[in-house]
Amino acid sequence: MPPSISRRQFSLATVALGSSLLIRPAAGQGARKYAPVIPGTGIRVARTGDDFELEDWTYYPQHPKSSWNIDENVREPGSSSKNGMWAEGAKRGTPDVVRRVATPPGGIDGSKGSMLIQTLHSGIPGTLTHEPQQDDLLHNNQATAGTIPVSWSPNVVCRVYVPPTQHWEKRNGATFGYRTGLIANEEYWPGIFLHMERVQKDGKLIHQVRAWIRADNGGRDLPSLTFEPETWITMGMSHTPDGAVHFFLRPGIDDLTKEDCVGSYWCYGYRAHTFQTFFFNVINNDDGRSVSTPWIVDDAFLFAASAPASKIRMAGGSPAPAQQSTTR
């Protein structure tokens, strides 16, 4: 059975789609003391992360889902995975479909399993809002490993597969999010969103997804790289002791490098002191007919680049070595 999930851990979720437009008072500006940490650097934290290789990997949905963001209704006990690594976000609720699938072509060498996330009923159970809504799938590291101070430079990385266009929801706009949960003077949730785009180029209709970074120092969403259907994206975020968030993107499955940093910000003007979790969003038009685009994720991991060796254990249960390791 998965580890028990406290009401507090179960309640962590995400902000509204338009919340990045809210301008909050900026923290004091100044030169950054810390260079961006490349996601995947340091000790992979014990009892966190998932490669989806277990053949009996299973997610247990508990419907009706939560929809606190709309009707202030948290419907416990909440959904979770068999391995205890994933849990429903109580603010918005679980995606309708969370399951292990065969890794699509071009994935990580040797990978046989990945996680598919998709939803239809993203609003209030039994009611249609006829507006874009989203569901949340949280990595449950608060129950398995606890929170991490940003002084330890927590960083996350995953691979994401862009599905074939015939499976896309028939609209443009936000479809998928990869985010972290942080605490400054309050909780906030920076991240990378993928938007479906259908654009005319040279008389032809082109399908692409564009990454948007949430958010800069003033709380604005920023457009970034574009990616083609049926390809992989390596995505990552890192957090440095000065409270900044660093965003990384590259096409394909190769490890990230310093050249893949697409932005570094004190998001919303906040300087984080605590890392809580990372999580995924899937978004659709809540009309009872428009199934969301199916997103596939692989090798979603959490690292700590500057944790004291005596304070953290690496995946596999061994004590962290005195000299920090790196995947680069």
Side-chain angles (χ1 to χ4, degrees):
M1 293 298 292
S4 60
I5 305 170
S6 73
R7 186 178 182 88
R8 167 63 177 162
Q9 290 158 345
F10 174 67
S11 295
L12 177 66
T14 182
V15 291
L17 277 170
S19 66
S20 65
L21 300 179
L22 299 176
I23 306 301
R24 295 180 172 88
Q29 301 299 308
R32 288 193 174 86
K33 292 175 56 179
Y34 297 89
V37 170
I38 301 169
T41 295
I43 299 303
R44 195 181 133 206
V45 181
R47 302 187 303 278
T48 69
D50 207 334
D51 61 8
F52 312 105
E53 290 304 300
L54 291 176
E55 293 185 0
D56 66 347
W57 194 100
T58 304
Y59 186 76
Y60 301 116
Q62 298 286 340
H63 292 292
K65 75 178 188 75
S66 291
S67 54
W68 186 92
N69 62 304
I70 305 173
D71 63 356
E72 299 187 355
N73 196 333
V74 174
R75 299 176 180 89
E76 293 184 318
S79 307
S80 61
S81 61
K82 180 179 180 180
N83 64 3
M85 295 296 181
W86 304 96
E88 174 178 349
K91 186 172 184 179
R92 300 186 187 282
T94 184
D96 289 313
V97 178
V98 180
R99 60 185 173 91
R100 181 179 183 264
V101 296
T103 300
I108 296 169
D109 187 38
S111 175
K112 297 184 182 300
S114 300
M115 179 175 67
L116 181 146
I117 315 169
Q118 190 175 29
T119 203
L120 173 62
H121 302 293
S122 53
I124 301 170
T127 303
L128 300 176
T129 65
H130 297 279
E131 297 177 351
Q133 303 290 349
Q134 68 191 65
D135 288 325
D136 301 331
L137 184 65
L138 311 184
H139 189 59
N140 196 28
N141 59 274
Q142 287 199 80
T144 60
T147 59
I148 297 175
V150 299
S151 60
W152 294 7
S153 300
N155 59 93
V156 297
V157 64
C158 70
R159 272 72 177 187
V160 178
Y161 181 71
V162 183
T165 57
Q166 63 265 33
H167 299 303
W168 288 21
E169 187 184 359
K170 290 178 171 52
R171 64 176 179 86
N172 289 339
T175 174
F176 174 84
Y178 176 40
R179 309 173 76 175
T180 62
L182 306 177
I183 301 178
N185 54 313
E186 64 180 15
E187 291 180 318
Y188 66 114
W189 304 271
I192 303 170
F193 278 85
L194 298 179
H195 286 219
M196 299 173 291
E197 293 184 352
R198 296 163 173 86
V199 296
Q200 290 287 339
K201 290 185 178 179
D202 300 325
K204 295 181 180 180
L205 181 63
I206 303 297
H207 292 71
Q208 62 187 24
V209 293
R210 183 180 301 277
W212 285 74
I213 305 304
R214 178 166 296 180
D216 71 2
N217 296 349
R220 294 163 294 211
D221 286 358
L222 303 174
S224 187
L225 306 182
T226 60
F227 303 92
E228 297 179 357
E230 299 181 67
T231 64
W232 286 87
I233 309 170
T234 300
M235 307 174 73
M237 289 170 281
S238 65
H239 312 80
T240 42
D242 59 357
V245 184
H246 311 274
F247 302 91
F248 288 73
L249 288 165
R250 72 174 295 141
I253 58 169
D254 290 342
D255 288 348
L256 295 165
T257 70
K258 63 180 181 180
E259 286 76 21
D260 299 317
C261 184
V262 295
S264 296
Y265 306 101
W266 288 302
C267 301
Y268 305 102
Y270 290 159
R271 299 196 186 201
H273 57 70
T274 301
F275 172 94
Q276 293 185 299
T277 191
F278 66 89
F279 60 101
F280 300 107
N281 302 141
V282 284
I283 305 155
N284 76 317
N285 191 31
D286 179 39
D287 59 10
R289 303 183 307 275
S290 302
V291 180
S292 74
T293 300
W295 288 95
I296 295 177
V297 175
D298 200 7
D299 279 28
F301 294 132
L302 168 63
F303 296 80
S306 55
S310 61
K311 297 292 187 181
I312 198 164
R313 297 182 70 85
M314 61 194 298
S318 302
Q323 179 65 40
Q324 297 295 312
S325 65
T326 177
T327 60
R328 297 297 142 247

